[in-house]
Amino acid sequence: MSNLPDNLTPVRQAHVFDEARLTDYMKANVEGFRGPISVLQFEGGQSNPTFHVTDGGGNMYVLRKKPPGKLLPSAHQVDREYRVIKALADHTDVPVPKPYALCQDDSVIGTTFYIMQFLPGRVLADVKMPGISPADRGKIFDSMNDVLARLHNVDYRAVGLGDYGREGQYIQRQLARWSSQYDLARTEDIESMEALKKWLPENIPPGDETRINHGDYRLGNTIVHPTEPRVIAVLDWELSTLGHPLADLGYNCMMYHFGEGFGASGGYAGKDLREFGIPTEREYLAAYARRTGRTEVPAWDFYLAFSLFRLAAIVQGVYKRGLDGNASSETATKYGNRARAMADLAWKMVEKRA
């Protein structure tokens, strides 16, 4: 089937489940569903295994589930992911896939899972967007910026997410959480991580805010329209909560600071942005500020360093799960040195500020 994404593989052995049980569940809980089903697995989705389901009528769905095995505390909460997608789908203009059903009965396929709409489109894992014109790259970046601003402009209480996280002190809580998660997953001594663990909590900028935070907002977690240069859906809400919006923005802008060696595609460090067609980081921040009613984005280096520290802790966890044999992607064990590279980059930013 030519309209299937090219990052689908047969279901990996560690993630095989009872497809007959899933078919029965979908017949009872997904409107318009017709059996039988065929199931493939998306490569990637490091945290929660993700599957493509086609039913007997040619309807296509996405299923996301908790991974098997022993899990880190508070990780892999696909029920939270479903809740935020449903609230945004029902009450806002933030583009998300239509959610169909959440199943918390482990007897169906072994772990909690949810089912949502499959949206055909482009998932641009490489932020350099090869094969796309510079003009369209600029429009895609602007759309990504607009969608993040829309998310941060949502009145989270009005859409039923007032208790989706704790209000205030997000940065403090994230630093405590990811320092702890990093310590649980540590496989070597990374000097810059230890330095960041001390420096960041002592240098949190004034001005606390609370908004819905995506937590992993980047181009690769969006679906771009099949032919038009615009974002039609935001994916992978597993790390979402109520939090400080500039933490989300800092994470989104790490791409400006990544060189080669930060994963499959690297980032824009040292590149001619005009040639690529994308805005400078300063222009990107100005567009976000305009859309969210700000006059400026203060303490920018702090939010970048915070985001790099947090991501370093996350990829260290993925690496550890890969070593333990229960990560959802075969590439997980390649993540080890990336934690060090990200922490070193963050610490360089801190040292420049000093």
Side-chain angles (χ1 to χ4, degrees):
M1 294 172 68
S2 60
N3 58 344
L4 289 180
D6 59 9
N7 60 335
L8 291 172
T9 67
V11 176
R12 293 190 282 283
Q13 191 57 44
H15 301 287
V16 169
F17 55 79
D18 188 332
E19 294 183 11
R21 294 293 304 275
L22 176 63
T23 303
D24 290 343
Y25 175 84
M26 291 181 72
K27 280 179 184 170
N29 293 279
V30 177
E31 187 179 349
F33 172 82
R34 291 169 49 191
I37 60 170
S38 60
V39 181
L40 294 169
Q41 185 165 4
F42 286 96
E43 174 57 30
Q46 292 291 340
S47 186
N48 292 320
T50 306
F51 305 85
H52 182 282
V53 180
T54 306
D55 77 0
N59 300 308
M60 291 187 277
Y61 308 89
V62 171
L63 181 152
R64 273 171 71 81
K65 68 188 281 291
K66 288 190 177 189
K70 185 181 177 188
L71 307 178
L72 287 173
S74 76
H76 314 288
Q77 294 175 304
V78 295
D79 50 334
R80 283 178 56 80
E81 199 171 328
Y82 179 83
R83 182 184 172 194
V84 71
I85 291 170
K86 183 148 181 59
L88 294 171
D90 290 351
H91 303 295
T92 80
D93 63 355
V94 178
V96 289
K98 179 182 177 181
Y100 288 110
L102 169 69
C103 178
Q104 295 176 287
D105 178 356
D106 287 355
S107 73
V108 179
I109 65 168
T111 61
T112 296
F113 68 93
Y114 71 90
I115 295 163
M116 63 183 169
Q117 168 190 25
F118 170 76
L119 284 170
R122 294 174 283 173
V123 175
L124 304 175
D126 186 341
V127 294
K128 295 194 286 294
M129 295 183 270
I132 294 174
S133 72
D136 276 1
R137 286 180 192 145
K139 288 173 184 170
I140 289 168
F141 255 61
D142 194 56
S143 179
M144 176 171 62
N145 184 294
D146 174 57
V147 168
L148 184 62
R150 278 194 241 172
L151 174 66
H152 292 164
N153 285 337
V154 168
D155 180 339
Y156 57 89
R157 292 192 192 98
V159 301
L161 293 174
D163 62 345
Y164 191 62
R166 285 162 59 189
E167 294 180 302
Q169 296 205 306
Y170 171 78
I171 302 289
Q172 291 91 327
R173 288 183 283 108
Q174 283 283 295
L175 288 172
R177 176 189 176 186
W178 289 110
S179 294
S180 169
Q181 298 279 43
Y182 171 75
D183 288 343
L184 286 171
R186 184 165 48 197
T187 52
E188 62 180 311
D189 187 41
I190 299 177
E191 300 82 356
S192 49
M193 279 298 278
E194 302 307 321
L196 288 164
K197 277 162 59 178
K198 292 187 179 71
W199 186 88
L200 288 167
E202 294 169 359
N203 290 275
I204 296 169
D208 206 354
E209 298 179 51
T210 301
R211 297 285 189 276
I212 301 170
N213 266 40
H214 180 274
D216 193 8
Y217 191 78
R218 54 190 169 86
L219 185 62
N221 276 339
T222 69
I223 300 176
V224 176
H225 187 280
T227 56
E228 298 171 20
R230 60 184 176 88
V231 172
I232 60 168
V234 182
L235 306 173
D236 202 352
W237 292 85
E238 188 224 340
L239 295 173
S240 64
T241 189
L242 299 184
H244 199 303
L246 297 186
D248 248 2
L249 184 64
Y251 187 93
N252 185 214
C253 287
M254 288 189 300
M255 61 195 168
Y256 283 108
H257 301 272
F258 286 168
E260 299 305 319
F262 282 87
S265 61
Y268 285 112
K271 303 289 185 188
D272 183 339
L273 302 185
R274 290 272 170 261
E275 183 183 317
F276 271 98
I278 68 160
T280 64
E281 184 178 48
R282 181 170 292 189
E283 290 166 341
Y284 193 82
L285 296 181
Y288 172 87
R290 185 182 72 249
R291 286 170 166 142
T292 55
R294 297 169 184 274
T295 54
E296 62 172 348
V297 178
W300 183 234
D301 287 345
F302 174 89
Y303 292 108
L304 278 173
F306 163 79
S307 297
L308 285 161
F309 167 79
R310 180 174 165 275
L311 184 58
I314 290 169
V315 298
Q316 180 67 40
V318 172
Y319 178 62
K320 179 68 159 60
R321 285 203 307 280
L323 293 179
D324 292 346
N326 70 338
S328 66
S329 170
E330 304 300 332
T331 58
T333 48
K334 297 177 186 174
Y335 273 58
N337 62 345
R338 288 178 62 191
R340 178 181 290 279
M342 288 168 190
D344 287 350
L345 180 59
W347 189 243
K348 279 181 192 154
M349 289 178 183
V350 169
E351 289 182 316
K352 275 186 198 166
R353 269 179 59 133

